[in-house]
Amino acid sequence: MTLILKNLPFILQGLTLTLALAVTTLFFSTIIAFLLGTLASLRFRWLRVVVKVYVELFRDIPLVVNIFFVFFVAPLFGLELSPFAAVTVGLSLWGGANGAEIVRGGFASVPQHQWASAAALGLKTWEIYAFVTGPQALRAILPPFVGLLTLLVQATSLGALVGVTEFFKVGQIIVERTTMMEGWNPAFAIYSAVLLIYFVICSALTWFGRWLERRLKSDLRRPASGVAAMPKPVTQLP
């Protein structure tokens, strides 16, 4: 405990960088996911094929290989990316691919008669997505998307492999520095603290996802406001 308190500013710095990496990755992953997921739900076959190739490519490549590829290959094309930027790009490409499949599935869950009715009313394509099918698809998209955020928080630890001083890397540095300078190995205490904090963050996100799913289901079962309930039949007494 003394060792943790002594290195608390360093630990908080690493935790802040981990959260910043997770938020940045989620931001770009969300943009990629909703853009590609929406394109995949359009009626143009060639668009669906392009999105499918992208999704399968980045979902089938191991995430650590994807990060290494961005970090080591980008400089060959004149893109000098910092470790933070390289990890952000690698995680965003992977998160966008998984998120695109979630968004596509969300739009596919909307009944076909909703699309047909909106088109029959003369709505434009963007109006159908924005005002008719989009709000309905969000009910199916949001819970698994929160789960994707949990995976992205866990995946930020891979940044330690390319030099990002995030939370897990900070733990490694403390263990190595203490072993070399003080002659004892604090690996159990430090990595237990790292494990506990990751568990708390990811458990909170998992709980939020389950709460959101229950809330959306209850809203779905609730009758719309302004709709009168059907009167119960009156039983005539003899």
Short mmCIF file of all heavy atoms in Angstrom, two decimals, residues 5-48:
data_model
loop_
_atom_site.label_atom_id
_atom_site.label_comp_id
_atom_site.label_asym_id
_atom_site.label_seq_id
_atom_site.Cartn_x
_atom_site.Cartn_y
_atom_site.Cartn_z
N LEU A 5 0.76 4.33 -2.71
CA LEU A 5 0.57 5.74 -2.33
C LEU A 5 1.74 6.60 -2.80
O LEU A 5 1.55 7.75 -3.22
CB LEU A 5 0.40 5.85 -0.82
CG LEU A 5 -0.90 5.23 -0.25
CD1 LEU A 5 -0.90 5.33 1.27
CD2 LEU A 5 -2.12 5.92 -0.83
N LYS A 6 2.94 6.05 -2.74
CA LYS A 6 4.12 6.82 -3.16
C LYS A 6 4.09 7.10 -4.66
O LYS A 6 4.57 8.14 -5.11
CB LYS A 6 5.38 6.03 -2.78
CG LYS A 6 6.67 6.78 -3.08
CD LYS A 6 7.86 6.08 -2.46
CE LYS A 6 8.10 4.73 -3.13
NZ LYS A 6 9.34 4.09 -2.63
N ASN A 7 3.55 6.16 -5.41
CA ASN A 7 3.48 6.32 -6.87
C ASN A 7 2.09 6.75 -7.34
O ASN A 7 1.80 6.63 -8.54
CB ASN A 7 3.85 5.00 -7.55
CG ASN A 7 5.30 4.61 -7.37
OD1 ASN A 7 6.17 5.09 -8.08
ND2 ASN A 7 5.56 3.76 -6.38
N LEU A 8 1.27 7.25 -6.43
CA LEU A 8 -0.10 7.59 -6.79
C LEU A 8 -0.20 8.62 -7.92
O LEU A 8 -1.01 8.43 -8.85
CB LEU A 8 -0.86 8.09 -5.55
CG LEU A 8 -2.37 8.30 -5.73
CD1 LEU A 8 -3.04 7.00 -6.16
CD2 LEU A 8 -3.00 8.81 -4.45
N PRO A 9 0.58 9.71 -7.92
CA PRO A 9 0.48 10.66 -9.05
C PRO A 9 0.80 10.00 -10.39
O PRO A 9 0.14 10.27 -11.40
CB PRO A 9 1.50 11.74 -8.69
CG PRO A 9 1.63 11.66 -7.22
CD PRO A 9 1.49 10.22 -6.87
N PHE A 10 1.81 9.14 -10.41
CA PHE A 10 2.18 8.42 -11.63
C PHE A 10 1.06 7.47 -12.07
O PHE A 10 0.74 7.36 -13.26
CB PHE A 10 3.48 7.65 -11.39
CG PHE A 10 4.10 7.08 -12.63
CD1 PHE A 10 3.99 7.74 -13.86
CD2 PHE A 10 4.80 5.89 -12.57
CE1 PHE A 10 4.57 7.21 -15.00
CE2 PHE A 10 5.38 5.36 -13.71
CZ PHE A 10 5.27 6.01 -14.92
N ILE A 11 0.45 6.80 -11.10
CA ILE A 11 -0.65 5.88 -11.40
C ILE A 11 -1.85 6.65 -11.96
O ILE A 11 -2.48 6.22 -12.94
CB ILE A 11 -1.04 5.09 -10.14
CG1 ILE A 11 0.08 4.14 -9.74
CG2 ILE A 11 -2.33 4.30 -10.36
CD1 ILE A 11 -0.14 3.44 -8.42
N LEU A 12 -2.18 7.78 -11.35
CA LEU A 12 -3.30 8.58 -11.83
C LEU A 12 -3.03 9.13 -13.22
O LEU A 12 -3.95 9.24 -14.04
CB LEU A 12 -3.58 9.73 -10.85
CG LEU A 12 -4.13 9.32 -9.48
CD1 LEU A 12 -4.30 10.55 -8.59
CD2 LEU A 12 -5.45 8.58 -9.62
N GLN A 13 -1.78 9.46 -13.50
CA GLN A 13 -1.41 9.93 -14.83
C GLN A 13 -1.66 8.83 -15.87
O GLN A 13 -2.22 9.07 -16.95
CB GLN A 13 0.05 10.35 -14.85
CG GLN A 13 0.55 10.80 -16.22
CD GLN A 13 2.04 11.13 -16.20
OE1 GLN A 13 2.66 11.24 -15.14
NE2 GLN A 13 2.62 11.28 -17.37
N GLY A 14 -1.28 7.59 -15.53
CA GLY A 14 -1.51 6.48 -16.44
C GLY A 14 -2.98 6.18 -16.62
O GLY A 14 -3.44 5.88 -17.73
N LEU A 15 -3.74 6.26 -15.52
CA LEU A 15 -5.18 6.02 -15.60
C LEU A 15 -5.87 7.08 -16.45
O LEU A 15 -6.78 6.78 -17.23
CB LEU A 15 -5.78 5.99 -14.19
CG LEU A 15 -7.28 5.67 -14.08
CD1 LEU A 15 -7.59 4.32 -14.70
CD2 LEU A 15 -7.72 5.72 -12.62
N THR A 16 -5.45 8.33 -16.30
CA THR A 16 -6.00 9.41 -17.12
C THR A 16 -5.73 9.18 -18.60
O THR A 16 -6.61 9.39 -19.46
CB THR A 16 -5.41 10.76 -16.69
OG1 THR A 16 -5.70 10.98 -15.31
CG2 THR A 16 -5.99 11.90 -17.51
N LEU A 17 -4.52 8.72 -18.92
CA LEU A 17 -4.17 8.46 -20.32
C LEU A 17 -4.99 7.29 -20.87
O LEU A 17 -5.42 7.31 -22.03
CB LEU A 17 -2.68 8.17 -20.43
CG LEU A 17 -2.10 8.14 -21.86
CD1 LEU A 17 -2.35 9.47 -22.56
CD2 LEU A 17 -0.61 7.83 -21.82
N THR A 18 -5.23 6.28 -20.03
CA THR A 18 -6.07 5.15 -20.46
C THR A 18 -7.48 5.61 -20.77
O THR A 18 -8.06 5.23 -21.81
CB THR A 18 -6.10 4.07 -19.35
OG1 THR A 18 -4.82 3.45 -19.26
CG2 THR A 18 -7.14 2.99 -19.67
N LEU A 19 -8.06 6.42 -19.90
CA LEU A 19 -9.42 6.92 -20.14
C LEU A 19 -9.46 7.84 -21.36
O LEU A 19 -10.42 7.79 -22.14
CB LEU A 19 -9.93 7.66 -18.90
CG LEU A 19 -10.10 6.79 -17.64
CD1 LEU A 19 -10.54 7.65 -16.46
CD2 LEU A 19 -11.11 5.68 -17.88
N ALA A 20 -8.42 8.66 -21.54
CA ALA A 20 -8.38 9.53 -22.73
C ALA A 20 -8.29 8.69 -24.00
O ALA A 20 -8.94 8.99 -25.01
CB ALA A 20 -7.18 10.47 -22.63
N LEU A 21 -7.49 7.63 -23.96
CA LEU A 21 -7.36 6.74 -25.11
C LEU A 21 -8.69 6.04 -25.40
O LEU A 21 -9.10 5.91 -26.57
CB LEU A 21 -6.26 5.71 -24.85
CG LEU A 21 -5.91 4.75 -25.99
CD1 LEU A 21 -5.48 5.52 -27.22
CD2 LEU A 21 -4.81 3.80 -25.54
N ALA A 22 -9.39 5.62 -24.35
CA ALA A 22 -10.68 4.94 -24.53
C ALA A 22 -11.72 5.90 -25.10
O ALA A 22 -12.47 5.53 -26.01
CB ALA A 22 -11.16 4.37 -23.19
N VAL A 23 -11.78 7.13 -24.58
CA VAL A 23 -12.77 8.09 -25.06
C VAL A 23 -12.49 8.49 -26.51
O VAL A 23 -13.41 8.57 -27.35
CB VAL A 23 -12.79 9.33 -24.15
CG1 VAL A 23 -13.64 10.44 -24.75
CG2 VAL A 23 -13.33 8.96 -22.76
N THR A 24 -11.22 8.74 -26.82
CA THR A 24 -10.85 9.12 -28.20
C THR A 24 -11.17 7.99 -29.17
O THR A 24 -11.73 8.22 -30.26
CB THR A 24 -9.35 9.46 -28.27
OG1 THR A 24 -9.04 10.46 -27.31
CG2 THR A 24 -8.98 9.96 -29.66
N THR A 25 -10.84 6.77 -28.77
CA THR A 25 -11.12 5.62 -29.63
C THR A 25 -12.61 5.43 -29.81
O THR A 25 -13.08 5.13 -30.93
CB THR A 25 -10.49 4.35 -29.01
OG1 THR A 25 -9.09 4.54 -28.87
CG2 THR A 25 -10.75 3.15 -29.89
N LEU A 26 -13.37 5.59 -28.74
CA LEU A 26 -14.82 5.43 -28.85
C LEU A 26 -15.42 6.49 -29.77
O LEU A 26 -16.31 6.19 -30.57
CB LEU A 26 -15.47 5.54 -27.47
CG LEU A 26 -17.01 5.45 -27.46
CD1 LEU A 26 -17.47 4.06 -27.92
CD2 LEU A 26 -17.58 5.79 -26.11
N PHE A 27 -14.90 7.71 -29.72
CA PHE A 27 -15.41 8.79 -30.57
C PHE A 27 -15.24 8.43 -32.05
O PHE A 27 -16.19 8.49 -32.83
CB PHE A 27 -14.67 10.09 -30.24
CG PHE A 27 -15.02 11.24 -31.15
CD1 PHE A 27 -16.23 11.90 -31.01
CD2 PHE A 27 -14.14 11.64 -32.15
CE1 PHE A 27 -16.56 12.95 -31.86
CE2 PHE A 27 -14.46 12.69 -32.99
CZ PHE A 27 -15.67 13.35 -32.85
N PHE A 28 -14.01 8.06 -32.44
CA PHE A 28 -13.77 7.74 -33.85
C PHE A 28 -14.43 6.43 -34.25
O PHE A 28 -14.91 6.29 -35.38
CB PHE A 28 -12.27 7.69 -34.12
CG PHE A 28 -11.61 9.04 -34.08
CD1 PHE A 28 -10.74 9.38 -33.05
CD2 PHE A 28 -11.86 9.98 -35.06
CE1 PHE A 28 -10.14 10.62 -33.00
CE2 PHE A 28 -11.26 11.24 -35.02
CZ PHE A 28 -10.40 11.56 -33.99
N SER A 29 -14.47 5.46 -33.34
CA SER A 29 -15.14 4.20 -33.63
C SER A 29 -16.63 4.41 -33.88
O SER A 29 -17.22 3.77 -34.76
CB SER A 29 -14.95 3.20 -32.48
OG SER A 29 -13.60 2.88 -32.31
N THR A 30 -17.24 5.32 -33.10
CA THR A 30 -18.66 5.60 -33.27
C THR A 30 -18.94 6.23 -34.63
O THR A 30 -19.90 5.87 -35.32
CB THR A 30 -19.15 6.53 -32.14
OG1 THR A 30 -18.91 5.90 -30.88
CG2 THR A 30 -20.63 6.81 -32.28
N ILE A 31 -18.09 7.18 -35.03
CA ILE A 31 -18.26 7.81 -36.35
C ILE A 31 -18.15 6.76 -37.46
O ILE A 31 -19.00 6.69 -38.36
CB ILE A 31 -17.23 8.92 -36.55
CG1 ILE A 31 -17.48 10.07 -35.56
CG2 ILE A 31 -17.27 9.45 -37.99
CD1 ILE A 31 -16.45 11.17 -35.62
N ILE A 32 -17.10 5.94 -37.40
CA ILE A 32 -16.91 4.90 -38.43
C ILE A 32 -18.07 3.92 -38.41
O ILE A 32 -18.59 3.54 -39.47
CB ILE A 32 -15.57 4.17 -38.20
CG1 ILE A 32 -14.40 5.14 -38.37
CG2 ILE A 32 -15.44 3.00 -39.16
CD1 ILE A 32 -13.06 4.56 -37.98
N ALA A 33 -18.49 3.50 -37.21
CA ALA A 33 -19.53 2.48 -37.10
C ALA A 33 -20.85 2.96 -37.66
O ALA A 33 -21.51 2.24 -38.43
CB ALA A 33 -19.69 2.08 -35.62
N PHE A 34 -21.28 4.17 -37.29
CA PHE A 34 -22.58 4.65 -37.77
C PHE A 34 -22.55 4.98 -39.26
O PHE A 34 -23.54 4.79 -39.96
CB PHE A 34 -23.02 5.86 -36.95
CG PHE A 34 -23.73 5.48 -35.68
CD1 PHE A 34 -23.01 5.22 -34.52
CD2 PHE A 34 -25.10 5.35 -35.64
CE1 PHE A 34 -23.65 4.84 -33.35
CE2 PHE A 34 -25.76 4.99 -34.48
CZ PHE A 34 -25.03 4.73 -33.33
N LEU A 35 -21.40 5.45 -39.75
CA LEU A 35 -21.29 5.73 -41.18
C LEU A 35 -21.37 4.44 -41.99
O LEU A 35 -22.20 4.31 -42.91
CB LEU A 35 -19.99 6.46 -41.47
CG LEU A 35 -19.69 6.75 -42.95
CD1 LEU A 35 -20.76 7.65 -43.55
CD2 LEU A 35 -18.30 7.38 -43.10
N LEU A 36 -20.53 3.46 -41.63
CA LEU A 36 -20.50 2.22 -42.40
C LEU A 36 -21.74 1.36 -42.15
O LEU A 36 -22.24 0.72 -43.08
CB LEU A 36 -19.23 1.43 -42.04
CG LEU A 36 -17.90 2.09 -42.41
CD1 LEU A 36 -16.74 1.17 -42.09
CD2 LEU A 36 -17.87 2.48 -43.88
N GLY A 37 -22.24 1.37 -40.90
CA GLY A 37 -23.44 0.60 -40.61
C GLY A 37 -24.65 1.12 -41.38
O GLY A 37 -25.49 0.34 -41.84
N THR A 38 -24.73 2.45 -41.52
CA THR A 38 -25.82 3.03 -42.30
C THR A 38 -25.68 2.71 -43.77
O THR A 38 -26.66 2.36 -44.45
CB THR A 38 -25.86 4.55 -42.10
OG1 THR A 38 -26.01 4.85 -40.70
CG2 THR A 38 -27.02 5.17 -42.85
N LEU A 39 -24.45 2.79 -44.30
CA LEU A 39 -24.22 2.46 -45.70
C LEU A 39 -24.56 1.00 -45.98
O LEU A 39 -25.08 0.66 -47.05
CB LEU A 39 -22.77 2.74 -46.08
CG LEU A 39 -22.33 4.22 -46.10
CD1 LEU A 39 -20.85 4.33 -46.44
CD2 LEU A 39 -23.17 5.02 -47.08
N ALA A 40 -24.25 0.13 -45.01
CA ALA A 40 -24.52 -1.30 -45.20
C ALA A 40 -26.01 -1.61 -45.22
O ALA A 40 -26.41 -2.69 -45.68
CB ALA A 40 -23.85 -2.11 -44.10
N SER A 41 -26.85 -0.70 -44.71
CA SER A 41 -28.29 -0.94 -44.70
C SER A 41 -28.99 -0.34 -45.92
O SER A 41 -30.20 -0.51 -46.07
CB SER A 41 -28.90 -0.35 -43.43
OG SER A 41 -28.79 1.08 -43.42
N LEU A 42 -28.23 0.37 -46.78
CA LEU A 42 -28.82 0.91 -47.99
C LEU A 42 -29.05 -0.19 -49.03
O LEU A 42 -28.51 -1.29 -48.91
CB LEU A 42 -27.93 2.01 -48.57
CG LEU A 42 -27.77 3.28 -47.71
CD1 LEU A 42 -26.76 4.22 -48.32
CD2 LEU A 42 -29.12 3.99 -47.53
N ARG A 43 -29.79 0.13 -50.06
CA ARG A 43 -30.15 -0.88 -51.06
C ARG A 43 -29.08 -1.08 -52.14
O ARG A 43 -29.22 -1.93 -53.00
CB ARG A 43 -31.48 -0.52 -51.73
CG ARG A 43 -31.45 0.78 -52.51
CD ARG A 43 -32.79 1.03 -53.19
NE ARG A 43 -32.81 2.26 -53.96
CZ ARG A 43 -33.11 3.44 -53.47
NH1 ARG A 43 -33.43 3.55 -52.19
NH2 ARG A 43 -33.11 4.52 -54.25
N PHE A 44 -28.00 -0.30 -52.09
CA PHE A 44 -26.94 -0.42 -53.10
C PHE A 44 -26.03 -1.59 -52.76
O PHE A 44 -25.33 -1.56 -51.73
CB PHE A 44 -26.14 0.88 -53.20
CG PHE A 44 -26.98 2.08 -53.53
CD1 PHE A 44 -27.27 3.03 -52.55
CD2 PHE A 44 -27.49 2.24 -54.80
CE1 PHE A 44 -28.04 4.13 -52.85
CE2 PHE A 44 -28.27 3.35 -55.11
CZ PHE A 44 -28.56 4.30 -54.13
N ARG A 45 -26.02 -2.59 -53.61
CA ARG A 45 -25.28 -3.81 -53.33
C ARG A 45 -23.78 -3.57 -53.23
O ARG A 45 -23.10 -4.12 -52.35
CB ARG A 45 -25.57 -4.86 -54.41
CG ARG A 45 -24.83 -6.18 -54.20
CD ARG A 45 -25.20 -7.21 -55.25
NE ARG A 45 -24.42 -8.43 -55.07
CZ ARG A 45 -24.70 -9.37 -54.19
NH1 ARG A 45 -25.75 -9.25 -53.42
NH2 ARG A 45 -23.95 -10.45 -54.11
N TRP A 46 -23.23 -2.72 -54.10
CA TRP A 46 -21.78 -2.50 -54.08
C TRP A 46 -21.32 -1.84 -52.78
O TRP A 46 -20.21 -2.11 -52.31
CB TRP A 46 -21.36 -1.67 -55.30
CG TRP A 46 -21.87 -0.26 -55.31
CD1 TRP A 46 -23.05 0.20 -55.79
CD2 TRP A 46 -21.18 0.89 -54.79
NE1 TRP A 46 -23.16 1.55 -55.62
CE2 TRP A 46 -22.02 2.00 -55.02
CE3 TRP A 46 -19.95 1.09 -54.18
CZ2 TRP A 46 -21.67 3.29 -54.63
CZ3 TRP A 46 -19.59 2.37 -53.80
CH2 TRP A 46 -20.44 3.46 -54.02
N LEU A 47 -22.17 -0.98 -52.20
CA LEU A 47 -21.84 -0.39 -50.91
C LEU A 47 -21.81 -1.44 -49.82
O LEU A 47 -20.91 -1.45 -48.97
CB LEU A 47 -22.86 0.70 -50.56
CG LEU A 47 -22.62 2.11 -51.11
CD1 LEU A 47 -23.76 3.03 -50.73
CD2 LEU A 47 -21.29 2.65 -50.60
N ARG A 48 -22.79 -2.33 -49.83
CA ARG A 48 -22.83 -3.39 -48.83
C ARG A 48 -21.61 -4.30 -48.94
O ARG A 48 -21.07 -4.75 -47.93
CB ARG A 48 -24.11 -4.20 -48.97
CG ARG A 48 -25.39 -3.41 -48.70
CD ARG A 48 -26.55 -4.33 -48.38
NE ARG A 48 -26.81 -5.25 -49.49
CZ ARG A 48 -27.66 -4.99 -50.47
NH1 ARG A 48 -28.32 -3.83 -50.49
NH2 ARG A 48 -27.87 -5.87 -51.44
#
